[in-house]
Amino acid sequence: METREYMARRKAEVDVLLERYLPREEGFQKTIFEAMNYSVRAGGKRLRPILMWETYRLFGGSGREIEPFMAAIEMIHTSSLIHDDLPCMDNDELRRGKPTTWVKYGYDMAVLAGDALLIYAVETASKALSVETPDSARIARAIGLLAEKTGIYGMIGGQVVDVELTGQPIPGEKLDFIYRLKTGALLEASMMIGALLGGADEEQLNIVEQIAAEVGLAFQIQDDILDVTSTAGKLGKPVLSDEKNHKTTYVTLEGVEAARRAVEDHSARALEELSQLPGRNPELEALIRFLIAREN
């Protein structure tokens, strides 16, 4: 199956899965449910839950305990986008071709919706404990991984450094730190949780973490490239956003051609590490190639 066709099919399956976990829009706090659901339903490729699923399959996973984690990782990713778009951050009004959450529901409700999705994701992940014969020790560790890669040692930690240095020149090592945490950490969580629940041992889990770290760097550098070479129509969000916000990126530091070479280098390392793992999952390999070479 061609990768784009595969991605479209898997995305549709993840969309159905997400609907099972989204809150019902009722009660006095109905507005927050509407804002959360609007943000999750805005679309996207659902890369993180798909990566989680395919890594789970690589290690022989075949149960249902992975599903709450697939929903949870997409909720966390969505919460980060809601906050990224706020006037105090990137001040973007368009996301995936639709008004951003703060434009649609107001600044105050967008902050609350982002916060709500973050904690609701943990609540959702914990539902893995209610599946038949759950491996409670692995599920508990997976919840810990989810929190660690989201929080101060992961995505939020990277965002802190990114915000503090906005409008200032950023040296390469700090930019690498930001990318590894802000973008890479959730990809690491996705693949590591898939591997963990699929039965990976410690050595294999470490390899998966390295693969995801390389994919995260390549993914973010490709994002930098697209910000200056693509169009708002293709991306579904404003282009030249980094320039508008005076943000240092790999492209502003090294130029587009060097950035493209860096994407190729990180991609090659990710695929080399992947070859060290037992078995094969052609869909996972194709997905990694697709993520890195994407045009939107």
Side-chain angles (χ1 to χ4, degrees), residues 176-198:
D176 184 73
F177 176 88
I178 292 167
Y179 286 5
R180 283 190 178 277
L181 271 66
K182 184 179 173 184
T183 301
L186 284 194
L187 294 175
E188 290 169 18
S190 302
M191 295 186 71
M192 291 176 75
I193 289 169
L196 178 64
L197 296 182

Side-chain angles (χ1 to χ4, degrees), residues 19-20 41 54 71 76 78 120 145-146 149 154 165 169 182 212 233 246 248:
E19 287 297 325
R20 298 207 303 268
R41 288 169 178 158
E54 292 300 353
I76 291 170
T78 301
Y120 190 64
L145 260 175
L146 188 71
K149 296 293 185 181
L165 294 175
K182 184 179 173 184
H246 309 293
T248 301

Side-chain angles (χ1 to χ4, degrees), residues 135-179:
D135 186 332
S136 56
R138 283 188 181 268
I139 290 171
R141 187 173 176 194
I143 293 172
L145 260 175
L146 188 71
E148 177 189 338
K149 296 293 185 181
T150 300
I152 54 176
Y153 300 107
M155 180 188 73
I156 291 173
Q159 181 78 327
V160 166
V161 180
D162 189 29
V163 168
E164 283 184 333
L165 294 175
T166 297
Q168 302 176 43
I170 302 176
E173 66 272 15
K174 281 195 176 180
L175 189 64
D176 184 73
F177 176 88
I178 292 167
Y179 286 5

Side-chain angles (χ1 to χ4, degrees), residues 20-275:
R20 298 207 303 268
Y21 292 98
L22 291 177
R24 296 175 64 178
E25 298 175 5
E26 59 186 18
F28 289 128
Q29 76 274 49
K30 178 182 177 183
T31 304
I32 196 66
F33 300 146
E34 291 175 351
M36 292 164 67
N37 294 350
Y38 170 82
S39 305
V40 173
R41 288 169 178 158
K45 299 179 184 68
R46 311 304 191 196
L47 302 175
R48 290 153 191 82
I50 296 173
L51 266 178
M52 185 184 289
W53 168 250
E54 292 300 353
T55 310
Y56 180 67
R57 286 183 59 231
L58 177 68
F59 287 94
S62 59
R64 305 255 338 248
E65 76 279 6
I66 197 70
E67 293 179 359
F69 284 96
M70 291 170 65
I73 200 74
E74 191 65 14
M75 291 173 188
I76 291 170
H77 173 57
T78 301
S79 79
S80 75
L81 300 182
I82 294 172
H83 286 165
D84 271 352
D85 290 333
L86 290 172
C88 64
M89 298 286 190
D90 290 346
N91 194 26
D92 282 330
E93 298 184 0
L94 190 69
R95 168 73 67 178
R96 294 166 177 162
K98 298 179 180 179
T100 51
T101 307
W102 75 268
V103 171
K104 177 86 171 175
Y105 290 95
Y107 196 153
D108 49 1
M109 204 55 60
V111 171
L112 291 171
D115 292 347
L117 277 171
L118 207 55
I119 196 65
Y120 190 64
V122 179
E123 179 183 339
T124 299
S126 70
K127 291 177 181 176
L129 289 164
S130 65
V131 301
E132 266 187 63
T133 61
D135 186 332
S136 56
R138 283 188 181 268
I139 290 171
R141 187 173 176 194
I143 293 172
L145 260 175
L146 188 71
E148 177 189 338
K149 296 293 185 181
T150 300
I152 54 176
Y153 300 107
M155 180 188 73
I156 291 173
Q159 181 78 327
V160 166
V161 180
D162 189 29
V163 168
E164 283 184 333
L165 294 175
T166 297
Q168 302 176 43
I170 302 176
E173 66 272 15
K174 281 195 176 180
L175 189 64
D176 184 73
F177 176 88
I178 292 167
Y179 286 5
R180 283 190 178 277
L181 271 66
K182 184 179 173 184
T183 301
L186 284 194
L187 294 175
E188 290 169 18
S190 302
M191 295 186 71
M192 291 176 75
I193 289 169
L196 178 64
L197 296 182
D201 62 28
E202 287 303 315
E203 182 181 353
Q204 292 165 344
L205 203 59
N206 289 336
I207 293 172
V208 168
E209 185 172 27
Q210 290 304 311
I211 293 168
E214 296 290 353
V215 171
L217 283 170
F219 185 89
Q220 184 56 57
I221 295 169
Q222 180 68 6
D223 205 54
D224 294 347
I225 294 169
L226 293 175
D227 190 66
V228 298
T229 63
S230 191
T231 65
K234 278 188 178 181
L235 290 182
K237 62 180 182 178
V239 294
L240 302 176
S241 179
D242 296 327
E243 181 181 317
K244 178 190 75 175
N245 292 304
H246 309 293
K247 293 181 77 169
T248 301
T249 70
Y250 201 94
V251 170
T252 64
L253 276 181
E254 304 290 344
V256 172
E257 290 310 311
R260 286 182 171 138
R261 287 193 296 272
V263 169
E264 291 173 5
D265 290 345
H266 289 300
S267 308
R269 283 197 285 272
L271 293 169
E272 173 61 29
E273 294 274 357
L274 183 62
S275 70

